[in-house]
Amino acid sequence: MRGNKYGAKKTVKDGITFDSMMEAERYRMLMLLERGGVISELTLQPVFQLVEPFTKMGKKKRGIKYTADFMYKQDGQTIVEDVKGFAARDFSLRRTLFDMRNPELILKLVTKKNGRWEEK
């Protein structure tokens, strides 16, 4: 399979195609946490509207949507995760728009360094 512009290669796990091996590994970890009762309601690829579609000077403009990697409940809170080898340049803007539109949700950037999962 062809990779993306950052060098990640699509990976299939449990019949699901993930954008990267790291994302597939995180899915496996989250599935174990769900089976163990640590998290619940694991969802893949949740979509959030960050900017509504609008019209400017008679021209229709598309809205902006953000697709995260995972969403789940933990300790009564809803967590949204984006798995990245590194934060893309536009992630900080995306996070700000996400937080503004979804103050009740927690957005975590998750990466793996030296064999350990880290959250930002």
Side-chain angles (χ1 to χ4, degrees):
M1 289 181 201
R2 227 177 128 186
N4 70 12
K5 65 183 175 183
Y6 298 112
K9 293 181 182 166
K10 292 203 181 272
T11 302
V12 177
K13 173 75 175 158
D14 296 338
I16 303 166
T17 302
F18 295 94
D19 287 338
S20 68
M21 190 178 300
M22 188 183 304
E23 189 178 326
E25 285 180 34
R26 184 61 179 170
Y27 168 74
R28 187 176 56 84
M29 174 64 67
L30 291 172
M31 287 297 294
L32 289 172
L33 291 173
E34 187 173 46
R35 284 188 203 126
V38 176
I39 67 170
S40 63
E41 300 178 40
L42 178 61
T43 306
L44 283 75
Q45 303 291 306
V47 178
F48 300 91
Q49 187 80 39
L50 299 181
V51 177
E52 297 295 329
F54 62 97
T55 302
K56 181 177 180 178
M57 298 179 171
K59 291 186 179 181
K60 292 186 179 188
K61 303 288 185 174
R62 288 190 294 179
I64 298 172
K65 291 183 181 180
Y66 164 58
T67 303
D69 294 320
F70 306 105
M71 182 169 67
Y72 54 87
K73 293 202 182 271
Q74 183 176 21
D75 299 326
Q77 295 182 310
T78 302
I79 311 293
V80 177
E81 280 192 5
D82 205 347
V83 178
K84 300 280 185 224
F86 61 93
R89 287 188 332 201
D90 67 344
F91 186 76
S92 131
L93 174 60
R94 199 175 319 157
R95 172 177 257 162
T96 299
L97 291 170
F98 178 89
D99 288 344
M100 181 182 75
R101 295 286 304 241
N102 304 284
E104 73 285 0
L105 304 179
I106 297 169
L107 176 59
K108 293 182 178 179
L109 178 63
V110 180
T111 189
K112 193 171 186 182
K113 287 187 182 176
N114 300 322
R116 300 186 70 160
W117 291 103
E118 294 183 5
E119 300 173 355
K120 295 178 183 178

